[in-house]
């Protein structure tokens, strides 16, 4: 019955968007990959918020199908949609807790788009390759270097330069292109001193206050990338900034910051997580907050008997009940 429904949706195409979006949330995991394939074929920007949560699904088949659907948005004419899709896929690619098959599919999605744009390949993929060549996964290291014909001198420069270049940039004015700086941070993240990454966060945070409102979002993504670099190394050096960003931005908090909060957030972020849950009606954002909250309480071994939990239950009973589950 479900398979027949999925087949009909695939045939209908774009007109099936609403039905596919409505069905995927309640569908069993076995059928979600097929529904995600439908969304991939449709390729409508409206699938962005629906697909994104499935990138982190525990079932590798679901997650890889979500990667493919997200990859279909990399060519979107709306630059915000394409940039958000790229950010989500990059976060998946660099998340060492994800299965290799999911990360490799994300790499294929990004490099597949790069094949259609030499500028994209130079500005986006090469810094990612440089970081992946030092990845803990042999499969990712091989994928990153597999088509580097005689990486030679240029490849060696890419491997050595990012952390030193980042330090040099922080000693002067930030570059005019936030995307250029974001890629440099991503490439330098595994080698640069933690204090250097932290300094980048502080510099970008200050810079955000001086740019026009329409230009601030790309710089927030830069800051999110720096937070992911710290989180990947287990550093809580800038958790205070993640907490303040969540308090200030709410549902507009970049997905990279949410991922970093889930990885390294501590007890100090729980109040802000609950406040953000209470303030939003966005189902996807609430799901992210639940994941963050539960990751923190598990990591910090906080129970409902702890003082912080009791205060939260008294202050925000609805949010507390939902977050604890």
């Amino acid at each position: 019955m479900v398979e027949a429904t999925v087949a009909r949706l695939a045939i209908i195409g774009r007109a099936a968007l609403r039905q596919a979006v409505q069905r995927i949330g309640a569908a069993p995991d076995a059928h979600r990959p097929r529904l995600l394939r439908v969304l991939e074929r449709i390729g409508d920007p409206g699938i962005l918020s629906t697909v994104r949560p499935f990138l982190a699904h525990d079932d590798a088949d679901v997650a890889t199908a979500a990667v493919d659907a997200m990859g279909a948005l990399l060519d979107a004419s709306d630059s915000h949609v394409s940039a958000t899709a790229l950010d989500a896929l990059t976060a998946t690619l660099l998340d060492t807790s994800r299965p290799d098959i999911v990360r490799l599919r994300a790499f294929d999605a990004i490099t597949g788009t790069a094949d259609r744009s030499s500028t994209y390949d130079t500005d986006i993929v090469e810094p990612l390759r440089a970081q992946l060549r030092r990845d803990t996964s042999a499969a990712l290291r091989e994928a990153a270097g597999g088509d580097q014909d005689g990486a030679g001198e240029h490849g060696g420069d890419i491997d050595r330069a990012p952390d030193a270049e980042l330090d040099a940039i922080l000693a002067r004015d930030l570059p005019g292109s936030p995307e250029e700086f974001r890629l440099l941070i991503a490439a330098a993240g595994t080698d640069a001193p933690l204090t250097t990454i932290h300094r980048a966060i502080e510099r970008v945070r200050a810079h955000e206050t001086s740019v026009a409102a329409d230009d601030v979002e790309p710089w927030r993504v830069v800051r999110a990338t720096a937070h992911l670099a710290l989180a990947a190394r287990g550093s809580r050096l800038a958790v205070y900034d993640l907490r303040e960003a969540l308090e200030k931005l709410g549902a507009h908090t970049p997905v990279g910051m949410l991922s970093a909060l889930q990885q390294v957030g501590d007890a100090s972020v729980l109040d802000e997580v609950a406040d953000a849950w209470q303030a939003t009606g966005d189902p996807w954002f609430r799901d992210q907050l639940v994941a963050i909250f539960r990751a923190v309480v598990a990591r910090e071994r906080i129970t409902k008997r702890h003082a912080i939990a009791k205060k939260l239950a008294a202050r925000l009973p609805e949010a507390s009940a939902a977050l604890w589950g």
Side-chain angles (χ1 to χ4, degrees), residues 142-157:
E142 181 178 354
D147 57 0
Q148 295 294 305
D149 296 327
E153 184 178 346
H154 180 60
D157 288 344

Side-chain angles (χ1 to χ4, degrees), residues 53 250-251 258 273-294 318-319 322-323:
L258 298 178
V273 170
D275 286 334
W277 189 96
Q278 190 71 32
T280 186
D282 183 331
W284 178 85
F285 184 51
R286 280 189 164 181
D287 285 346
Q288 302 311 300
L289 295 171
V290 169
I292 292 167
F293 186 93
R294 293 178 184 176
E318 181 186 1
L323 291 165

Side-chain angles (χ1 to χ4, degrees), residues 182-206:
R182 184 184 75 82
L183 292 170
L184 177 59
I185 291 172
T190 56
D191 291 330
L194 296 177
T195 51
T196 298
I197 303 296
H198 178 251
R199 189 149 51 100
I201 290 172
E202 287 295 302
R203 288 290 304 278
V204 174
R205 175 176 167 163

Side-chain angles (χ1 to χ4, degrees), residues 5 30 55 75 102 125 161 163 171 177 206 226 240 295 302:
T5 300
L55 292 172
D75 286 327
V102 177
V125 177
D163 54 330
S177 166
Y240 69 91
I302 297 170

Side-chain angles (χ1 to χ4, degrees), residues 70-137:
M70 188 66 75
L73 300 180
L74 290 174
D75 286 327
S77 57
D78 185 327
S79 60
H80 174 71
V81 172
S82 59
T84 302
L86 176 61
D87 183 52
L89 287 172
T90 301
T92 301
L93 171 61
L94 299 179
D95 184 352
T96 56
S97 69
R98 306 298 299 139
D100 281 355
I101 188 172
V102 177
R103 300 178 66 201
L104 287 167
R105 190 66 69 91
F107 186 65
D108 287 344
I110 295 170
T111 55
T113 300
D115 288 343
R116 301 188 288 277
S117 168
S118 59
T119 300
Y120 192 47
D121 189 43
T122 301
D123 293 346
I124 306 292
V125 177
E126 281 309 311
L128 285 177
R129 288 188 192 278
Q131 182 162 351
L132 291 174
R133 290 188 195 111
R134 302 185 294 272
D135 198 85
T136 55
S137 164

